[in-house]
Amino acid sequence: FGAVLLLMLAAALFGLWASHRALDRFQGEVMVQVSHERKVAAAQMHFKTQVQEWKNVLLRGMDAALLDKHWRAFEAEEQAVDRLMVELRQVVDEADQRQLMDRFASAHAAMAKGYRMGLEKFKAAGLEPSVGDASVRGVDREPAKLLDSLGELNSARSAAVAQAAQIEGQRAMVWSTVAMTCALLIGM
């Protein structure tokens, strides 16, 4: 009877160990991926707000105070996007994601240059919104696509890691149950 109890205890400990390992994977890998997803989502939000602030510059730029306010907001959003991407670049190891981040950084810098030239043309044209708008038409498309692609890639990777952790946890439960059942059958 003591051997059966010992086998049952060993099986239960094995199950606890395997479950703990699955939880560690979840807390480690899955939560890291979720953190990456959140940074990408935050960068997307700041990027969209940055573009919206440009539109506010054009629509409200006749008032010097509003032009200054919205341009400063544009620059603040631009810096927030850049900061989030630098933070993300420091913690992401996957080459495909890093490559997308590098391409986005280049496209975002080109976009920033384009908007600054657009601002000068807008001012030179007597604050005519159509001139400012025409000068930057399409400049945000490439960085927006790259940021969306990064988000999709990151979400797919996050889902795959979460699914692998779930499968590992389910296997741990099955093996623990099988081990305890075998110990019980041996004891009987």
Side-chain angles (χ1 to χ4, degrees):
F1 184 71
V4 172
L5 284 176
L6 193 58
L7 282 172
M8 291 286 285
L9 179 63
L13 288 175
F14 168 77
L16 287 172
W17 172 80
S19 295
H20 178 70
R21 199 173 112 197
L23 280 173
D24 278 350
R25 181 173 187 182
F26 180 82
Q27 288 176 334
E29 294 178 42
V30 173
M31 295 312 291
V32 164
Q33 287 297 324
V34 168
S35 172
H36 295 174
E37 266 189 283
R38 287 181 180 158
K39 279 197 189 303
V40 171
Q44 288 172 311
M45 181 197 69
H46 285 289
F47 180 84
K48 289 175 184 173
T49 304
Q50 177 187 3
V51 172
Q52 182 58 48
E53 287 299 339
W54 168 253
K55 292 174 185 173
N56 289 336
V57 165
L58 296 179
L59 293 173
R60 294 169 180 84
M62 301 278 182
D63 179 329
L66 289 176
L67 185 139
D68 187 52
K69 172 188 169 189
H70 291 295
W71 183 253
R72 279 195 323 267
F74 172 91
E75 290 180 317
E77 295 298 333
E78 177 182 61
Q79 290 169 2
V81 171
D82 290 342
R83 179 182 41 77
L84 285 163
M85 295 309 289
V86 166
E87 289 173 9
L88 191 59
R89 182 81 166 70
Q90 291 172 347
V91 294
V92 169
D93 295 327
E94 292 82 5
D96 52 353
Q97 287 187 24
R98 292 175 73 104
Q99 182 184 34
L100 270 174
M101 284 183 264
D102 292 343
R103 288 176 56 207
F104 171 78
S106 295
H108 193 237
M111 181 186 101
K113 185 177 179 181
Y115 275 118
R116 281 166 177 75
M117 289 185 341
L119 179 64
E120 294 308 314
K121 289 180 182 178
F122 173 62
K123 288 178 178 178
L127 304 176
E128 174 55 45
S130 62
V131 172
D133 185 49
S135 67
V136 300
R137 185 167 291 130
V139 74
D140 62 331
R141 284 192 188 118
E142 181 65 15
K145 280 185 203 175
L146 290 167
L147 198 52
D148 288 346
S149 294
L150 179 61
E152 291 166 7
L153 181 61
N154 200 274
S155 291
R157 180 141 305 127
S158 184
V161 169
Q163 184 179 18
Q166 180 183 6
I167 289 169
E168 186 177 332
Q170 289 170 340
R171 279 190 192 136
M173 296 286 286
V174 167
W175 281 109
S176 176
T177 303
V178 167
M180 286 189 288
T181 302
C182 287
L184 183 63
L185 290 174
I186 289 170
M188 290 172 64

